[in-house]
Amino acid sequence: MPADPLAAPAPRPHVVKLGGSLIGAPALSRLLQALARARTPVLLVTGGGPFADAVREAQPRLGLSDAACHRMAILAMEQTALAFADLAPGLVPVDSADAIARASEGARPAIWLPARMALAALELPESWALTSDSLAAWLAGSIGAGRLTLVKSAPAAPGSGPRDWAAGGLVDPLFPDYAGSIAGPVEVMSLEAALGHFTDGSLAA
């Protein structure tokens, strides 16, 4: 059946990336709950946190290649996502573009399980230069997200942009290129700012 030309366009999700360094922060649970109550399409991406740190520590001891560690770090992100989904059951786990689209169409807040999509993306470099920030930007560009928000321990300097963030070490060096494929705004918030932003009705319908 052909698409209805008068139908409303499909909603474009807001990708929110939570850094792994936020694990253990007192406000993290409240932010997860706020995101889980969102009534607009929001897609949560997590960092690898201590699970990715374990991969970094194991690499020199075991003599692992960067390619192996890349795949293990993606699985570390998946572990964090599963942990966050357990803490906020309102978040719908999604592992494919179709699942993301269905959650967006139903205005259900979702959390990305990255292994299926990221491990199949042969264009992604298998290197520590690619972090979860760039993976969030890659995902946002791939699904046509309307916005990308990185929530970090430290905020970005006022008036700065992706290349400034990369130069200052706030994001990885590949991030600006991936961020350039996102049609909407790209921003960095501290946890405290994000908590205020996402609990004041900003994600309500």
Side-chain angles (χ1 to χ4, degrees), residues 89-134:
L91 295 169
V92 178
V94 292
D95 66 355
S96 68
D98 286 344
I100 292 169
R102 287 194 297 271
S104 295
E105 289 166 2
R108 292 175 297 165
I111 185 166
W112 188 44
L113 303 180
R116 179 178 176 185
M117 293 176 69
L119 292 177
L122 300 181
E123 73 273 17
L124 294 173
E126 296 182 323
S127 163
W128 284 114
L130 181 84
T131 71
S132 54
D133 289 333
S134 277

mmCIF file of all heavy atoms in Angstrom, residues 89-134:
data_model
loop_
_atom_site.group_PDB
_atom_site.id
_atom_site.type_symbol
_atom_site.label_atom_id
_atom_site.label_comp_id
_atom_site.label_asym_id
_atom_site.label_seq_id
_atom_site.Cartn_x
_atom_site.Cartn_y
_atom_site.Cartn_z
ATOM 1 N N PRO A 89 12.539 0.305 34.319
ATOM 2 C CA PRO A 89 11.824 -0.646 33.461
ATOM 3 C C PRO A 89 10.953 0.004 32.390
ATOM 4 O O PRO A 89 10.542 -0.672 31.447
ATOM 5 C CB PRO A 89 10.973 -1.440 34.463
ATOM 6 C CG PRO A 89 11.676 -1.304 35.769
ATOM 7 C CD PRO A 89 12.274 0.066 35.750
ATOM 8 N N GLY A 90 10.680 1.280 32.490
ATOM 9 C CA GLY A 90 9.889 1.951 31.457
ATOM 10 C C GLY A 90 10.636 2.128 30.151
ATOM 11 O O GLY A 90 10.019 2.450 29.124
ATOM 12 N N LEU A 91 11.943 1.927 30.157
ATOM 13 C CA LEU A 91 12.736 2.044 28.936
ATOM 14 C C LEU A 91 12.635 0.750 28.132
ATOM 15 O O LEU A 91 12.854 -0.336 28.668
ATOM 16 C CB LEU A 91 14.207 2.327 29.285
ATOM 17 C CG LEU A 91 14.495 3.652 29.978
ATOM 18 C CD1 LEU A 91 15.930 3.678 30.507
ATOM 19 C CD2 LEU A 91 14.265 4.823 29.024
ATOM 20 N N VAL A 92 12.313 0.876 26.853
ATOM 21 C CA VAL A 92 12.149 -0.289 25.982
ATOM 22 C C VAL A 92 13.488 -0.637 25.338
ATOM 23 O O VAL A 92 14.046 0.175 24.591
ATOM 24 C CB VAL A 92 11.112 -0.005 24.881
ATOM 25 C CG1 VAL A 92 10.979 -1.200 23.941
ATOM 26 C CG2 VAL A 92 9.771 0.360 25.484
ATOM 27 N N PRO A 93 14.065 -1.812 25.588
ATOM 28 C CA PRO A 93 15.322 -2.186 24.930
ATOM 29 C C PRO A 93 15.103 -2.377 23.430
ATOM 30 O O PRO A 93 14.158 -3.052 23.013
ATOM 31 C CB PRO A 93 15.704 -3.505 25.607
ATOM 32 C CG PRO A 93 14.967 -3.501 26.909
ATOM 33 C CD PRO A 93 13.673 -2.804 26.612
ATOM 34 N N VAL A 94 15.967 -1.778 22.615
ATOM 35 C CA VAL A 94 15.866 -1.888 21.159
ATOM 36 C C VAL A 94 17.244 -2.228 20.598
ATOM 37 O O VAL A 94 18.250 -1.729 21.078
ATOM 38 C CB VAL A 94 15.330 -0.595 20.510
ATOM 39 C CG1 VAL A 94 13.870 -0.367 20.873
ATOM 40 C CG2 VAL A 94 16.161 0.621 20.931
ATOM 41 N N ASP A 95 17.275 -3.085 19.561
ATOM 42 C CA ASP A 95 18.561 -3.504 19.008
ATOM 43 C C ASP A 95 18.608 -3.449 17.491
ATOM 44 O O ASP A 95 19.518 -4.015 16.879
ATOM 45 C CB ASP A 95 18.918 -4.911 19.487
ATOM 46 C CG ASP A 95 17.979 -5.994 18.951
ATOM 47 O OD1 ASP A 95 16.977 -5.645 18.280
ATOM 48 O OD2 ASP A 95 18.253 -7.182 19.200
ATOM 49 N N SER A 96 17.641 -2.771 16.871
ATOM 50 C CA SER A 96 17.632 -2.660 15.415
ATOM 51 C C SER A 96 16.963 -1.358 15.014
ATOM 52 O O SER A 96 16.236 -0.742 15.809
ATOM 53 C CB SER A 96 16.874 -3.834 14.790
ATOM 54 O OG SER A 96 15.488 -3.757 15.091
ATOM 55 N N ALA A 97 17.200 -0.950 13.762
ATOM 56 C CA ALA A 97 16.560 0.271 13.263
ATOM 57 C C ALA A 97 15.048 0.125 13.270
ATOM 58 O O ALA A 97 14.319 1.082 13.573
ATOM 59 C CB ALA A 97 17.074 0.591 11.861
ATOM 60 N N ASP A 98 14.542 -1.056 12.936
ATOM 61 C CA ASP A 98 13.092 -1.279 12.945
ATOM 62 C C ASP A 98 12.523 -1.146 14.351
ATOM 63 O O ASP A 98 11.452 -0.552 14.542
ATOM 64 C CB ASP A 98 12.769 -2.661 12.377
ATOM 65 C CG ASP A 98 12.935 -2.731 10.867
ATOM 66 O OD1 ASP A 98 13.009 -1.652 10.231
ATOM 67 O OD2 ASP A 98 13.012 -3.846 10.324
ATOM 68 N N ALA A 99 13.206 -1.709 15.333
ATOM 69 C CA ALA A 99 12.734 -1.626 16.714
ATOM 70 C C ALA A 99 12.757 -0.182 17.203
ATOM 71 O O ALA A 99 11.850 0.258 17.925
ATOM 72 C CB ALA A 99 13.579 -2.518 17.615
ATOM 73 N N ILE A 100 13.786 0.565 16.814
ATOM 74 C CA ILE A 100 13.856 1.980 17.180
ATOM 75 C C ILE A 100 12.692 2.739 16.559
ATOM 76 O O ILE A 100 12.032 3.562 17.212
ATOM 77 C CB ILE A 100 15.203 2.573 16.736
ATOM 78 C CG1 ILE A 100 16.352 1.977 17.551
ATOM 79 C CG2 ILE A 100 15.197 4.102 16.875
ATOM 80 C CD1 ILE A 100 17.732 2.297 17.012
ATOM 81 N N ALA A 101 12.403 2.463 15.288
ATOM 82 C CA ALA A 101 11.303 3.136 14.600
ATOM 83 C C ALA A 101 9.965 2.824 15.257
ATOM 84 O O ALA A 101 9.118 3.714 15.429
ATOM 85 C CB ALA A 101 11.279 2.738 13.131
ATOM 86 N N ARG A 102 9.763 1.568 15.644
ATOM 87 C CA ARG A 102 8.497 1.201 16.292
ATOM 88 C C ARG A 102 8.339 1.915 17.626
ATOM 89 O O ARG A 102 7.249 2.387 17.963
ATOM 90 C CB ARG A 102 8.429 -0.318 16.488
ATOM 91 C CG ARG A 102 8.205 -1.104 15.193
ATOM 92 C CD ARG A 102 7.806 -2.547 15.494
ATOM 93 N NE ARG A 102 8.855 -3.271 16.196
ATOM 94 C CZ ARG A 102 9.819 -3.949 15.599
ATOM 95 N NH1 ARG A 102 9.913 -3.970 14.274
ATOM 96 N NH2 ARG A 102 10.724 -4.604 16.312
ATOM 97 N N ALA A 103 9.418 1.994 18.395
ATOM 98 C CA ALA A 103 9.346 2.693 19.676
ATOM 99 C C ALA A 103 9.057 4.179 19.458
ATOM 100 O O ALA A 103 8.264 4.785 20.187
ATOM 101 C CB ALA A 103 10.648 2.509 20.453
ATOM 102 N N SER A 104 9.691 4.771 18.446
ATOM 103 C CA SER A 104 9.471 6.188 18.155
ATOM 104 C C SER A 104 8.035 6.438 17.726
ATOM 105 O O SER A 104 7.392 7.404 18.168
ATOM 106 C CB SER A 104 10.433 6.663 17.064
ATOM 107 O OG SER A 104 11.776 6.599 17.505
ATOM 108 N N GLU A 105 7.513 5.570 16.864
ATOM 109 C CA GLU A 105 6.142 5.737 16.388
ATOM 110 C C GLU A 105 5.136 5.613 17.529
ATOM 111 O O GLU A 105 4.084 6.260 17.517
ATOM 112 C CB GLU A 105 5.846 4.706 15.300
ATOM 113 C CG GLU A 105 6.581 4.987 13.991
ATOM 114 C CD GLU A 105 6.562 3.805 13.043
ATOM 115 O OE1 GLU A 105 5.939 2.772 13.393
ATOM 116 O OE2 GLU A 105 7.170 3.910 11.958
ATOM 117 N N GLY A 106 5.466 4.802 18.525
ATOM 118 C CA GLY A 106 4.592 4.648 19.678
ATOM 119 C C GLY A 106 4.914 5.615 20.797
ATOM 120 O O GLY A 106 4.307 5.531 21.872
ATOM 121 N N ALA A 107 5.852 6.551 20.554
ATOM 122 C CA ALA A 107 6.272 7.541 21.558
ATOM 123 C C ALA A 107 6.685 6.853 22.861
ATOM 124 O O ALA A 107 6.373 7.322 23.956
ATOM 125 C CB ALA A 107 5.167 8.569 21.807
ATOM 126 N N ARG A 108 7.409 5.735 22.718
ATOM 127 C CA ARG A 108 7.882 5.012 23.893
ATOM 128 C C ARG A 108 9.372 5.270 24.089
ATOM 129 O O ARG A 108 10.160 5.126 23.146
ATOM 130 C CB ARG A 108 7.631 3.515 23.724
ATOM 131 C CG ARG A 108 6.164 3.115 23.745
ATOM 132 C CD ARG A 108 6.002 1.632 23.454
ATOM 133 N NE ARG A 108 6.483 1.321 22.100
ATOM 134 C CZ ARG A 108 6.734 0.083 21.669
ATOM 135 N NH1 ARG A 108 6.622 -0.943 22.491
ATOM 136 N NH2 ARG A 108 7.142 -0.125 20.435
ATOM 137 N N PRO A 109 9.789 5.647 25.282
ATOM 138 C CA PRO A 109 11.223 5.846 25.535
ATOM 139 C C PRO A 109 11.967 4.528 25.417
ATOM 140 O O PRO A 109 11.498 3.495 25.922
ATOM 141 C CB PRO A 109 11.267 6.402 26.964
ATOM 142 C CG PRO A 109 10.000 5.910 27.591
ATOM 143 C CD PRO A 109 8.983 5.859 26.489
ATOM 144 N N ALA A 110 13.100 4.549 24.743
ATOM 145 C CA ALA A 110 13.828 3.312 24.452
ATOM 146 C C ALA A 110 15.278 3.425 24.895
ATOM 147 O O ALA A 110 15.804 4.524 25.109
ATOM 148 C CB ALA A 110 13.755 3.001 22.953
ATOM 149 N N ILE A 111 15.921 2.279 25.038
ATOM 150 C CA ILE A 111 17.348 2.229 25.359
ATOM 151 C C ILE A 111 18.007 1.281 24.370
ATOM 152 O O ILE A 111 17.501 0.188 24.095
ATOM 153 C CB ILE A 111 17.584 1.803 26.830
ATOM 154 C CG1 ILE A 111 19.072 1.881 27.179
ATOM 155 C CG2 ILE A 111 17.013 0.426 27.122
ATOM 156 C CD1 ILE A 111 19.340 1.810 28.686
ATOM 157 N N TRP A 112 19.139 1.711 23.819
ATOM 158 C CA TRP A 112 19.800 0.987 22.729
ATOM 159 C C TRP A 112 20.683 -0.119 23.248
ATOM 160 O O TRP A 112 21.563 0.116 24.095
ATOM 161 C CB TRP A 112 20.638 1.970 21.910
ATOM 162 C CG TRP A 112 21.233 1.413 20.648
ATOM 163 C CD1 TRP A 112 20.619 0.623 19.727
ATOM 164 C CD2 TRP A 112 22.554 1.658 20.146
ATOM 165 N NE1 TRP A 112 21.475 0.347 18.685
ATOM 166 C CE2 TRP A 112 22.665 0.968 18.918
ATOM 167 C CE3 TRP A 112 23.641 2.403 20.610
ATOM 168 C CZ2 TRP A 112 23.836 1.002 18.155
ATOM 169 C CZ3 TRP A 112 24.802 2.432 19.855
ATOM 170 C CH2 TRP A 112 24.902 1.738 18.639
ATOM 171 N N LEU A 113 20.454 -1.341 22.743
ATOM 172 C CA LEU A 113 21.378 -2.452 22.931
ATOM 173 C C LEU A 113 22.260 -2.484 21.680
ATOM 174 O O LEU A 113 21.807 -2.888 20.611
ATOM 175 C CB LEU A 113 20.607 -3.766 23.083
ATOM 176 C CG LEU A 113 19.580 -3.832 24.217
ATOM 177 C CD1 LEU A 113 18.900 -5.200 24.254
ATOM 178 C CD2 LEU A 113 20.228 -3.530 25.562
ATOM 179 N N PRO A 114 23.512 -2.038 21.776
ATOM 180 C CA PRO A 114 24.285 -1.719 20.567
ATOM 181 C C PRO A 114 24.899 -2.893 19.828
ATOM 182 O O PRO A 114 25.290 -2.750 18.664
ATOM 183 C CB PRO A 114 25.380 -0.807 21.100
ATOM 184 C CG PRO A 114 25.603 -1.276 22.505
ATOM 185 C CD PRO A 114 24.226 -1.650 23.010
ATOM 186 N N ALA A 115 25.023 -4.050 20.450
ATOM 187 C CA ALA A 115 25.853 -5.108 19.863
ATOM 188 C C ALA A 115 25.402 -5.486 18.458
ATOM 189 O O ALA A 115 26.234 -5.589 17.537
ATOM 190 C CB ALA A 115 25.857 -6.334 20.773
ATOM 191 N N ARG A 116 24.113 -5.709 18.260
ATOM 192 C CA ARG A 116 23.640 -6.197 16.960
ATOM 193 C C ARG A 116 23.971 -5.212 15.836
ATOM 194 O O ARG A 116 24.493 -5.612 14.785
ATOM 195 C CB ARG A 116 22.133 -6.433 17.022
ATOM 196 C CG ARG A 116 21.532 -6.932 15.711
ATOM 197 C CD ARG A 116 20.037 -7.176 15.869
ATOM 198 N NE ARG A 116 19.424 -7.572 14.619
ATOM 199 C CZ ARG A 116 18.121 -7.758 14.448
ATOM 200 N NH1 ARG A 116 17.298 -7.587 15.478
ATOM 201 N NH2 ARG A 116 17.640 -8.103 13.276
ATOM 202 N N MET A 117 23.705 -3.936 16.041
ATOM 203 C CA MET A 117 23.915 -2.954 14.983
ATOM 204 C C MET A 117 25.385 -2.561 14.851
ATOM 205 O O MET A 117 25.931 -2.486 13.744
ATOM 206 C CB MET A 117 23.056 -1.706 15.231
ATOM 207 C CG MET A 117 21.559 -1.946 15.117
ATOM 208 S SD MET A 117 20.577 -0.467 15.528
ATOM 209 C CE MET A 117 20.990 0.605 14.135
ATOM 210 N N ALA A 118 26.029 -2.280 15.965
ATOM 211 C CA ALA A 118 27.395 -1.756 15.918
ATOM 212 C C ALA A 118 28.400 -2.806 15.457
ATOM 213 O O ALA A 118 29.342 -2.502 14.723
ATOM 214 C CB ALA A 118 27.792 -1.195 17.278
ATOM 215 N N LEU A 119 28.226 -4.055 15.879
ATOM 216 C CA LEU A 119 29.163 -5.096 15.458
ATOM 217 C C LEU A 119 28.995 -5.447 13.988
ATOM 218 O O LEU A 119 29.918 -5.965 13.357
ATOM 219 C CB LEU A 119 28.990 -6.344 16.327
ATOM 220 C CG LEU A 119 29.413 -6.185 17.790
ATOM 221 C CD1 LEU A 119 29.132 -7.464 18.563
ATOM 222 C CD2 LEU A 119 30.878 -5.803 17.910
ATOM 223 N N ALA A 120 27.824 -5.162 13.430
ATOM 224 C CA ALA A 120 27.595 -5.440 12.007
ATOM 225 C C ALA A 120 28.019 -4.276 11.123
ATOM 226 O O ALA A 120 28.067 -4.420 9.895
ATOM 227 C CB ALA A 120 26.117 -5.743 11.765
ATOM 228 N N ALA A 121 28.339 -3.127 11.713
ATOM 229 C CA ALA A 121 28.689 -1.928 10.944
ATOM 230 C C ALA A 121 30.182 -1.960 10.624
ATOM 231 O O ALA A 121 31.014 -1.479 11.405
ATOM 232 C CB ALA A 121 28.325 -0.666 11.724
ATOM 233 N N LEU A 122 30.527 -2.500 9.481
ATOM 234 C CA LEU A 122 31.933 -2.670 9.119
ATOM 235 C C LEU A 122 32.640 -1.350 8.871
ATOM 236 O O LEU A 122 33.871 -1.294 8.847
ATOM 237 C CB LEU A 122 32.036 -3.567 7.873
ATOM 238 C CG LEU A 122 31.453 -4.975 8.024
ATOM 239 C CD1 LEU A 122 31.633 -5.771 6.738
ATOM 240 C CD2 LEU A 122 32.078 -5.708 9.208
ATOM 241 N N GLU A 123 31.877 -0.268 8.675
ATOM 242 C CA GLU A 123 32.499 1.040 8.437
ATOM 243 C C GLU A 123 33.048 1.669 9.715
ATOM 244 O O GLU A 123 33.821 2.633 9.658
ATOM 245 C CB GLU A 123 31.493 1.997 7.784
ATOM 246 C CG GLU A 123 30.381 2.533 8.697
ATOM 247 C CD GLU A 123 29.171 1.616 8.759
ATOM 248 O OE1 GLU A 123 29.312 0.437 8.373
ATOM 249 O OE2 GLU A 123 28.106 2.073 9.202
ATOM 250 N N LEU A 124 32.676 1.144 10.878
ATOM 251 C CA LEU A 124 33.169 1.702 12.134
ATOM 252 C C LEU A 124 34.594 1.218 12.393
ATOM 253 O O LEU A 124 34.864 0.014 12.336
ATOM 254 C CB LEU A 124 32.265 1.284 13.290
ATOM 255 C CG LEU A 124 30.842 1.837 13.277
ATOM 256 C CD1 LEU A 124 30.015 1.201 14.396
ATOM 257 C CD2 LEU A 124 30.840 3.355 13.411
ATOM 258 N N PRO A 125 35.525 2.126 12.691
ATOM 259 C CA PRO A 125 36.902 1.697 12.959
ATOM 260 C C PRO A 125 36.995 0.889 14.242
ATOM 261 O O PRO A 125 36.375 1.237 15.249
ATOM 262 C CB PRO A 125 37.671 3.019 13.071
ATOM 263 C CG PRO A 125 36.645 4.047 13.411
ATOM 264 C CD PRO A 125 35.373 3.591 12.760
ATOM 265 N N GLU A 126 37.763 -0.174 14.202
ATOM 266 C CA GLU A 126 37.949 -1.032 15.379
ATOM 267 C C GLU A 126 39.140 -0.514 16.167
ATOM 268 O O GLU A 126 40.233 -1.067 16.140
ATOM 269 C CB GLU A 126 38.123 -2.488 14.949
ATOM 270 C CG GLU A 126 36.889 -3.055 14.267
ATOM 271 C CD GLU A 126 37.054 -4.511 13.877
ATOM 272 O OE1 GLU A 126 38.169 -4.894 13.459
ATOM 273 O OE2 GLU A 126 36.074 -5.264 13.990
ATOM 274 N N SER A 127 38.887 0.568 16.885
ATOM 275 C CA SER A 127 39.962 1.296 17.550
ATOM 276 C C SER A 127 39.414 1.966 18.799
ATOM 277 O O SER A 127 38.222 2.310 18.872
ATOM 278 C CB SER A 127 40.533 2.352 16.587
ATOM 279 O OG SER A 127 41.275 3.323 17.276
ATOM 280 N N TRP A 128 40.297 2.205 19.785
ATOM 281 C CA TRP A 128 39.903 2.953 20.973
ATOM 282 C C TRP A 128 39.610 4.414 20.635
ATOM 283 O O TRP A 128 39.037 5.136 21.457
ATOM 284 C CB TRP A 128 40.996 2.886 22.029
ATOM 285 C CG TRP A 128 41.073 1.589 22.768
ATOM 286 C CD1 TRP A 128 42.089 0.684 22.726
ATOM 287 C CD2 TRP A 128 40.104 1.047 23.674
ATOM 288 N NE1 TRP A 128 41.816 -0.389 23.547
ATOM 289 C CE2 TRP A 128 40.610 -0.193 24.138
ATOM 290 C CE3 TRP A 128 38.857 1.496 24.138
ATOM 291 C CZ2 TRP A 128 39.901 -0.985 25.050
ATOM 292 C CZ3 TRP A 128 38.161 0.688 25.042
ATOM 293 C CH2 TRP A 128 38.677 -0.525 25.488
ATOM 294 N N ALA A 129 40.001 4.854 19.435
ATOM 295 C CA ALA A 129 39.682 6.227 19.024
ATOM 296 C C ALA A 129 38.183 6.421 18.884
ATOM 297 O O ALA A 129 37.683 7.542 18.942
ATOM 298 C CB ALA A 129 40.376 6.561 17.707
ATOM 299 N N LEU A 130 37.459 5.339 18.678
ATOM 300 C CA LEU A 130 36.002 5.379 18.572
ATOM 301 C C LEU A 130 35.417 5.029 19.932
ATOM 302 O O LEU A 130 35.535 3.908 20.396
ATOM 303 C CB LEU A 130 35.515 4.375 17.526
ATOM 304 C CG LEU A 130 34.002 4.341 17.312
ATOM 305 C CD1 LEU A 130 33.587 5.423 16.331
ATOM 306 C CD2 LEU A 130 33.557 2.969 16.808
ATOM 307 N N THR A 131 34.782 6.001 20.572
ATOM 308 C CA THR A 131 34.174 5.757 21.879
ATOM 309 C C THR A 131 32.651 5.735 21.750
ATOM 310 O O THR A 131 32.093 5.918 20.665
ATOM 311 C CB THR A 131 34.584 6.840 22.886
ATOM 312 O OG1 THR A 131 33.929 8.074 22.544
ATOM 313 C CG2 THR A 131 36.099 7.034 22.907
ATOM 314 N N SER A 132 32.001 5.549 22.877
ATOM 315 C CA SER A 132 30.537 5.521 22.881
ATOM 316 C C SER A 132 29.937 6.854 22.456
ATOM 317 O O SER A 132 28.801 6.897 21.975
ATOM 318 C CB SER A 132 30.024 5.111 24.264
ATOM 319 O OG SER A 132 30.557 5.945 25.271
ATOM 320 N N ASP A 133 30.672 7.964 22.607
ATOM 321 C CA ASP A 133 30.169 9.253 22.123
ATOM 322 C C ASP A 133 30.004 9.215 20.605
ATOM 323 O O ASP A 133 28.974 9.624 20.064
ATOM 324 C CB ASP A 133 31.129 10.387 22.507
ATOM 325 C CG ASP A 133 31.109 10.702 23.993
ATOM 326 O OD1 ASP A 133 30.074 10.456 24.635
ATOM 327 O OD2 ASP A 133 32.130 11.175 24.503
ATOM 328 N N SER A 134 31.042 8.735 19.904
ATOM 329 C CA SER A 134 30.944 8.646 18.450
ATOM 330 C C SER A 134 29.903 7.613 18.026
ATOM 331 O O SER A 134 29.218 7.798 17.020
ATOM 332 C CB SER A 134 32.305 8.299 17.827
ATOM 333 O OG SER A 134 33.087 9.461 17.671
#
